[in-house]
């Protein structure tokens, strides 16, 4: 089907990818690159660290909206890339990219601690995980239709979530 839509011969597809699993892995890898580009671009600049943390969260929401098929592949297939027979090298690259998203949140949280906008923690990576998982959880709730059921907008709920997280993490 992919070969037909791309107007390529199936043999050419197999030339570049060993099979469906490797093609799936390549798509996952591309999705994580796009997500990282969104988060990195939006969280850079001369803003205060807390603002950049907010922008990173909003970039994640933007990726979810603008690239829903990529988002579904990496988030709603029960991490399918770990359950298919892709090469160990491709799996390693995908897992590295996946971890880079979390590491970006953790770096931003550490910068917030350094600038004094949130309290210090002995283990800032845990607070970074809390930020990332909160945003990820909000997206999952929206994707399942709960926000729409209650007439809520994801951007409004995100602002409320980020405000709550900041207030809970104030020094």
């Amino acid at each position: 089907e992919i070969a037909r839509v791309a107007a390529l011969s199936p043999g050419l597809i197999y030339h570049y990818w060993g099979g469906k699993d490797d093609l799936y892995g390549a798509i996952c890898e591309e999705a994580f690159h796009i997500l990282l580009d969104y988060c990195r671009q939006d969280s850079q600049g001369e803003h205060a660290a807390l603002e950049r943390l907010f922008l990173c969260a909003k970039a994640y929401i933007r990726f979810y909206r603008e690239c829903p098929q990529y988002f579904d592949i990496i988030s709603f297939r029960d991490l399918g890339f770990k359950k298919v027979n892709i090469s160990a090298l491709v799996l390693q690259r995908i897992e590295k990219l996946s971890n880079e998203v979390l590491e970006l949140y953790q770096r931003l949280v550490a910068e917030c601690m350094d600038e004094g906008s949130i309290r210090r923690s002995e283990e800032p990576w845990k607070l970074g995980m809390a930020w990332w998982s909160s945003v990820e959880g909000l997206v999952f709730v929206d994707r399942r239709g709960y926000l729409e059921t209650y007439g809520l907008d994801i951007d409004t709920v995100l602002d409320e979530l980020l405000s709550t997280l900041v207030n809970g993490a104030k020094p």
Side-chain angles (χ1 to χ4, degrees), residues 150-166:
Y150 294 101
L152 298 170
D153 172 74
I154 193 169
D155 294 315
T156 304
V157 176
L158 177 64
D159 288 342
E160 200 61 40
L161 171 67
L162 296 175
S163 175
T164 302
L165 288 170
V166 167

Side-chain angles (χ1 to χ4, degrees), residues 22-169:
D22 284 338
L23 180 57
Y24 177 75
I27 293 168
C28 287
E29 196 172 354
E30 183 175 332
F32 278 115
H33 276 293
I34 293 168
L35 173 57
L36 273 166
D37 285 347
Y38 273 50
C39 291
R40 284 178 180 149
Q41 288 172 6
D42 288 11
S43 65
Q44 291 179 353
E46 297 185 23
H47 302 287
L50 186 60
E51 179 67 19
R52 289 185 292 115
L53 182 60
F54 278 37
L55 291 170
C56 187
K58 291 178 182 199
Y60 196 90
I61 301 295
R62 191 165 61 85
F63 170 77
Y64 159 66
R65 280 191 173 130
E66 294 177 5
C67 305
Q69 292 160 329
Y70 278 135
F71 186 86
D72 282 352
I73 284 173
I74 62 175
S75 296
F76 284 97
R77 301 292 186 243
D78 194 26
L79 294 176
F81 63 86
K82 292 185 178 186
K83 295 185 176 184
V84 296
N85 193 26
I86 58 177
S87 71
L89 181 61
V90 172
L91 180 59
Q92 184 180 16
R93 288 195 314 252
I94 293 169
E95 287 177 338
K96 181 181 181 296
L97 290 167
S98 176
N99 289 333
E100 284 184 42
V101 176
L102 180 54
E103 289 166 4
L104 178 58
Y105 274 91
Q106 292 169 339
R107 270 193 310 277
L108 289 168
V109 164
E111 289 177 28
C112 288
M113 289 177 189
D114 289 343
E115 78 178 12
S117 55
I118 61 175
R119 66 177 159 73
R120 285 217 165 274
S121 168
E122 290 297 316
E123 300 178 283
W125 69 272
K126 287 182 181 178
L127 193 51
M129 176 66 83
W131 277 84
W132 170 77
S133 61
S134 297
V135 175
E136 177 88 354
L138 176 60
V139 171
F140 276 51
V141 165
D142 183 64
R143 184 70 170 93
R144 291 184 177 120
Y146 291 116
L147 296 182
E148 185 179 355
T149 297
Y150 294 101
L152 298 170
D153 172 74
I154 193 169
D155 294 315
T156 304
V157 176
L158 177 64
D159 288 342
E160 200 61 40
L161 171 67
L162 296 175
S163 175
T164 302
L165 288 170
V166 167
N167 286 332

